[in-house]
Amino acid sequence: MFSFLKNSTLSRSELNYESGKFKYIHYGDILTKFGDITDTRNFSVPFVTTPEKVIRLEKYFLQNGDVVIADTAEDSMVGKVTEIQNPDPFPTVSGLHTIPIRPNKEFAAGFLGHYMNAPFYHDQLFKLMQGVKVLSLSKSAVIQTKINSPSYCEQRLISRMINLIDGTITLHEEKKRQLERLKSALLQKMFADKSGYPAIRFEGFDKAWEERKLKELGDIQTGNTPPTSDSDNYSLDGVLWVTPTDIKSLVISNTAKKLSQVGVTKARIAKAGSILVTSIASIGKNTLLRMDAGFNQQINSLTPTSENDSYFLLTQSEKWSEKMKQIAASATMQIVNKTEFSNISTYVPVHKEEQEKIGSFFKHLDDTIALHQQKINNINSVKKSLLQKMFI
């Protein structure tokens, strides 16, 4: 059903994203960047910096409908494929750790890319993979697999439908990237530097921001087990439990664990509205609690005073993270203790109203980013279900 093509063995250092005569399909890009179909005109496909090293492969330049398989990975992603489209005007070669194949019969554009990444086909490859820490796939394994294909007309309809789904996913991913870039730029402009004045402000505010230490902005605690004399700040019944691995989003409104489920008798409790910041592992990860929660020794909490806005401080905490990493880098043990965390300096507006406006603005921006991510997750779930049911 397939003919095997030769591949190149160039390293990443021999590629560039600016100019060249030839393009190159890198196995790492198949695993992390490329979808079921790769349009080689896209800027994400690198150029070859040393054309003399690939010109000899002219006979094996990729064509429309060719499929490139990543034959090496550290997990079950090995065997992921991408189908090539539009290799003109840049002749394209398949790279190191790939298996390029050309179908010996005509398939509808995109069908093989979708089919060979679907569970039915990929599960065949997975059973034939070799290795422990690094999994690999051989040409002989690919030969043992089988492809069941419907009529060309049905192939085309299937491919069109999945392409529409992928296009919708790409649209939301691009919107999310644009919003993230906007947020990154505004973080630099809407928070004051040493001058005390941000570059961009809401109307009605013109006073210099004040430099404050974090301990002046709220109560700071480190998670720990309780002394018997301070039982008011500790709890067990029904309280959620947060560790650094649970800090995956800017806001935590729930976790999968409760204190009683992880064998913790009691733990220090951070109140709803507190900001948790990791101080040991993955230093500087932060989140805002929407509920009371217990937390462990790897986390510092900041419970803002009534004069400070929680979401403003949460947004600003991305700047604290850099200072925390600098503190940890100069320490014997990679840790930021409570005292060091408390003494980190930052700039805050004189009026809480300005904090609230900034906090509300970034909350809306973060909610919109999260909405696009949720849509991406939902559409990917639909695609996964279809791939499981439409291919045999």
Side-chain angles (χ1 to χ4, degrees):
M1 184 170 289
F2 296 112
S3 297
F4 291 97
L5 309 175
K6 288 186 178 181
N7 60 327
S8 177
T9 57
L10 300 183
S11 65
R12 209 40 121 166
S13 63
E14 296 175 282
L15 309 176
N16 74 86
Y17 289 89
E18 297 175 359
S19 63
K21 294 182 178 179
F22 304 97
K23 287 212 166 186
Y24 188 92
I25 303 298
H26 193 281
Y27 82 100
D29 292 335
I30 298 176
L31 296 174
T32 62
K33 289 179 12 181
F34 297 162
D36 297 346
I37 300 168
T38 296
D39 186 332
T40 62
R41 297 171 300 181
N42 194 291
F43 69 90
S44 64
V45 182
F47 291 98
V48 174
T49 305
T50 51
E52 63 275 8
K53 292 188 176 182
V54 298
I55 190 64
R56 60 185 175 80
L57 294 174
E58 182 177 3
K59 181 180 177 181
Y60 303 102
F61 287 162
L62 298 174
Q63 301 176 4
N64 274 324
D66 287 349
V67 174
V68 182
I69 307 171
D71 68 11
T72 301
E74 295 181 356
D75 52 28
S76 60
M77 288 292 287
V78 63
K80 184 184 174 188
V81 314
T82 193
E83 180 178 325
I84 301 301
Q85 289 187 1
N86 301 312
D88 296 328
F90 302 105
T92 304
V93 294
S94 184
L96 183 69
H97 296 309
T98 66
I99 301 175
I101 58 177
R102 178 166 296 159
N104 294 329
K105 59 175 280 188
E106 186 179 14
F107 289 90
F111 178 80
L112 283 178
H114 299 312
Y115 183 94
M116 295 177 73
N117 280 326
F120 174 81
Y121 184 82
H122 189 263
D123 287 349
Q124 294 181 66
L125 291 177
F126 191 71
K127 296 174 184 178
L128 301 170
M129 295 174 191
Q130 299 176 334
V132 180
K133 291 185 177 181
V134 176
L135 296 175
S136 62
L137 194 64
S138 65
K139 291 181 181 179
S140 60
V142 175
I143 291 173
Q144 296 179 54
T145 62
K146 64 178 182 178
I147 289 178
N148 300 317
S149 60
S151 68
Y152 184 88
C153 181
E154 187 174 357
Q155 290 178 37
R156 186 171 57 186
L157 291 173
I158 291 171
S159 182
R160 283 180 178 176
M161 183 180 67
I162 298 177
N163 286 344
L164 286 173
I165 293 174
D166 283 343
T168 305
I169 293 171
T170 299
L171 177 64
H172 286 295
E173 288 175 337
E174 180 55 31
K175 288 182 177 179
K176 179 172 175 277
R177 279 192 293 269
Q178 290 177 358
L179 289 170
E180 288 172 337
R181 288 194 291 266
L182 174 63
K183 178 182 177 181
S184 179
L186 290 175
L187 284 173
Q188 302 300 318
K189 300 288 187 180
M190 294 183 69
F191 289 84
D193 55 19
K194 292 180 180 180
S195 71
Y197 292 92
I200 299 175
R201 302 186 79 168
F202 286 101
E203 186 177 358
F205 302 100
D206 55 13
K207 290 187 177 181
W209 289 20
E210 297 177 340
E211 185 175 14
R212 298 283 186 83
K213 291 183 178 180
L214 296 186
K215 63 184 177 183
E216 299 177 73
L217 303 178
D219 179 54
I220 294 175
Q221 297 292 342
T222 298
N224 60 13
T225 52
T228 56
S229 59
D230 191 17
S231 59
D232 289 345
N233 292 323
Y234 298 85
S235 182
L236 168 62
D237 296 335
V239 175
L240 298 174
W241 174 245
V242 179
T243 66
T245 57
D246 299 309
I247 301 179
K248 301 174 183 177
S249 60
L250 281 174
V251 176
I252 290 181
S253 56
N254 200 354
T255 69
K257 298 170 288 188
K258 293 185 177 180
L259 292 180
S260 55
Q261 296 172 322
V262 295
V264 178
T265 56
K266 283 188 177 183
R268 189 187 295 280
I269 300 302
K271 300 295 183 182
S274 297
I275 298 165
L276 301 186
V277 185
T278 54
S279 57
I280 301 179
S282 302
I283 290 173
K285 289 199 318 181
N286 52 73
T287 193
L288 174 66
L289 292 178
R290 290 299 189 199
M291 74 299 176
D292 294 355
F295 59 109
N296 71 5
Q297 293 92 333
Q298 295 179 321
I299 296 173
N300 286 317
S301 72
L302 169 62
T303 305
T305 65
S306 59
E307 290 79 29
N308 293 287
D309 181 74
S310 292
Y311 213 93
F312 168 83
L313 294 178
L314 173 70
T315 305
Q316 197 184 56
S317 66
E318 296 188 24
K319 293 182 176 292
W320 311 342
S321 298
E322 295 305 315
K323 295 182 179 180
M324 293 178 69
K325 290 172 184 175
Q326 292 172 10
I327 293 171
S330 62
T332 304
M333 296 182 62
Q334 298 290 297
I335 184 173
V336 179
N337 62 39
K338 177 182 175 181
T339 299
E340 292 167 330
F341 181 71
S342 300
N343 286 316
I344 290 176
S345 293
T346 190
Y347 287 86
V348 296
V350 175
H351 300 293
K352 184 180 180 182
E353 291 79 7
E354 187 172 6
Q355 286 192 30
E356 290 173 337
K357 280 185 174 290
I358 294 171
S360 177
F361 174 82
F362 278 99
K363 182 180 184 303
H364 177 72
L365 191 56
D366 289 333
D367 287 346
T368 307
I369 292 171
L371 177 62
H372 283 295
Q373 183 59 58
Q374 184 59 50
K375 288 181 178 179
I376 292 167
N377 295 342
N378 291 342
I379 299 170
N380 271 319
S381 295
V382 171
K383 178 183 176 181
K384 181 179 179 180
S385 177
L386 289 173
L387 290 177
Q388 290 174 329
K389 296 176 180 179
M390 294 183 68
F391 295 116
I392 59 173

